[in-house]
Each structure stands twice: as C-alpha cells, then as structure tokens.
Amino acid sequence: MAYKNAREVLPDALLRQIWKYVEGENIYIPKREEHRAAWGSRCGTRQEYEERNKQIRRRYAEEASVEELAKEFCLSVESIRKII
C-alpha cells in the first residue's frame, strides 16, 4: 500500500479538521463497502475452494467416508464435516 501526503490530496480546510484528532501519525482510510472486493475474488481463491468443496460433497454423496475425504483433500475430519 502506498502512502500519500495528506497535503497533496486533501483540501486545506479538511486537513485542519483532521489535525484536531491526529497529527504526525499514519491513519488508514478504508474503502467504502460498495467498493470492496469479496474475499478471494481477485486471485481466484474463492472459486478454487468452492470447486474443491463441490468435489468433497460429490464424493461424500458417492459414499466416500469422512476419513477418506480428509486424507484425499489433506483436511481435518472436522473441516470435512463442516463442508458436507
């Protein structure tokens, strides 16, 4: 994350208001909710987990045991149970 100097991006009046609360420190201004990307949506991780979980549910429906699925997918038995 790149830092920006507040003097370069904020109007002087707003900068004076901010100085009443914080001076000489870094602050983080989060994105608005409507501009935030969902977890894993940029790099494809969410899609990979969804596909893996579909495979686990399919294999369980085909009568694979929870223990077999845990070994096959390198997950704990508890994780498999949560998925199915």
Side-chain angles (χ1 to χ4, degrees), residues 2-4 20 24-25 27-28 32 35 41 45 48-49 51 62 78 83:
Y3 291 99
K4 296 185 179 186
K20 291 180 182 178
E25 296 182 42
I27 60 171
Y28 171 73
R32 294 179 297 217
H35 292 153
S41 63
T45 304
E48 289 175 21
Y49 284 146
E51 183 59 37
E62 294 169 354
E78 294 79 20
I83 293 167

Side-chain angles (χ1 to χ4, degrees), residues 3 6-7 9 27 43 46 50 59-60 69-70 74 79 81:
Y3 291 99
R7 288 179 196 258
V9 295
I27 60 171
C43 61
R46 177 180 290 273
E50 286 175 2
R59 293 269 296 116
Y60 184 72
L69 294 171
C74 300
S79 294
R81 286 191 176 122

